[in-house]
Amino acid sequence: MEEIKTTFNGKDGNGGIVLYANPFGTGKKFYGRFVRDVLSMENIVSRVQQKNPGTDEIIINTGLSYVKREILNALKEGKAVNLLDLGELYIGATGSTASDADSDISDLHLEAKFTTSQLLKDAVANVTIGNVMISNTAPGITKIIDWFTGKEGFTLTAGKNVVLKGKRLKLGAIDSGLYLAPVDENDQVIDDESLWIDCTELVRENSPKTIDFYLPATASVGNTYRIVIKSTYLNGARNRKEPIYTYSDPVTIVTA
């Protein structure tokens, strides 16, 4: 998922958090994810060499490849492995079964798991947050195309169809819609949704990147509107609990 981030400066620390709006309406407005800055083993070896001049890179990498091979072999044998006192890598079972019969464990699955040690917990306890970023996952309209003229812009032909291009545009299966909302003298949307022109039933294409719809006859020539996307779509078959709204720049309806 692409992120649109806003960074709040002025915080001391060595880590970053991205806040995502909670799409399921469970009472929490945001959930956070720590920003990963992944070091490869080559990076780790380089850091070892910097702090230990004269260390042989080839010998270190060869030793690491042997260690990795034996860790994988141990796991294949069903054993757990203590990884440098950082934690325990082991095989765990997920799922459940309704019977204790040997032949009825098909719903149980084995997967690799890791339990952190106190040494590792103490190390990450010293990490502090240096910046906070908010990820905006609302739909974003990047292009408005008048299909009749083939031109991109903010003038749309009455009775013809309009193509919206952008990101996360798809309307959800429930409580979603596409509207032409009249604006006031400052080009701000009039909040009274009973005045909005519903274009939802006229939508031909409905995908995350494209929505194609007809301008209904009730869209008056000469009037200015904003296109409003009201969507609960999240991804796949999942929908947000509460809809989110996205507004286009003002568009004007003209005759063919």
Side-chain angles (χ1 to χ4, degrees):
M1 179 175 60
E2 183 172 340
E3 297 163 2
I4 304 172
K5 300 177 181 177
T6 302
T7 301
F8 296 87
N9 298 318
K11 294 181 179 292
D12 297 324
N14 52 2
I17 289 287
V18 178
L19 296 179
Y20 295 85
N22 183 359
F24 299 112
T26 57
K28 296 182 179 179
K29 293 184 178 180
F30 294 92
Y31 65 92
R33 288 182 180 172
F34 190 81
V35 179
R36 294 182 182 177
D37 186 6
V38 181
L39 296 180
S40 67
M41 287 311 302
E42 288 79 7
N43 299 142
I44 297 297
V45 170
S46 176
R47 290 165 70 121
V48 170
Q49 286 183 301
Q50 291 175 9
K51 295 178 181 179
N52 301 273
T55 304
D56 192 311
E57 178 183 358
I58 296 177
I59 292 177
I60 295 177
N61 283 321
T62 301
L64 287 174
S65 68
Y66 291 161
V67 170
K68 179 175 70 173
R69 182 182 64 193
E70 292 310 315
I71 289 173
L72 293 175
N73 285 338
L75 290 170
K76 290 177 183 178
E77 295 168 3
K79 294 181 172 59
V81 179
N82 182 317
L83 292 182
L84 304 174
D85 292 331
L86 300 178
E88 187 174 280
L89 185 63
Y90 65 98
I91 299 171
T94 60
S96 61
T97 178
S99 171
D100 58 1
D102 292 341
S103 60
D104 191 22
I105 59 172
S106 58
D107 290 334
L108 297 179
H109 305 282
L110 302 181
E111 61 183 35
K113 294 188 176 184
F114 184 77
T115 300
T116 57
S117 68
Q118 191 59 48
L119 177 66
L120 181 54
K121 292 177 181 178
D122 291 342
V124 300
N126 297 322
V127 176
T128 54
I129 304 304
N131 56 74
V132 178
M133 296 160 281
I134 295 179
S135 176
N136 178 11
T137 58
I141 300 171
T142 57
K143 292 182 181 180
I144 303 174
I145 303 170
D146 184 330
W147 184 85
F148 181 72
T149 63
K151 295 181 179 179
E152 176 186 341
F154 306 109
T155 301
L156 305 177
T157 305
K160 306 299 181 181
N161 67 311
V162 178
V163 177
L164 303 180
K165 295 288 186 180
K167 301 170 183 177
R168 301 175 289 274
L169 299 180
K170 186 173 181 177
L171 304 179
I174 56 173
D175 199 18
S176 297
L178 183 72
Y179 307 91
L180 287 178
V183 299
D184 59 22
E185 62 276 8
N186 297 315
D187 284 336
Q188 299 302 306
V189 168
I190 296 174
D191 291 335
D192 186 355
E193 293 191 21
S194 66
L195 301 177
W196 294 7
I197 300 172
D198 190 350
C199 305
T200 310
E201 296 299 323
L202 304 179
V203 170
R204 299 198 311 172
E205 181 175 355
N206 178 29
S207 71
K209 293 184 178 180
T210 304
I211 291 181
D212 183 349
F213 70 99
Y214 286 105
L215 289 175
T218 47
S220 302
V221 172
N223 284 5
T224 299
Y225 303 89
R226 285 183 186 263
I227 301 169
V228 180
I229 296 175
K230 175 186 177 185
S231 181
T232 57
Y233 177 77
L234 183 60
N235 56 52
R238 297 196 298 169
N239 286 276
R240 303 172 187 271
K241 186 173 182 179
E242 299 292 336
I244 52 177
Y245 291 80
T246 296
Y247 305 88
S248 76
D249 289 330
V251 297
T252 301
I253 310 300
V254 298
T255 57

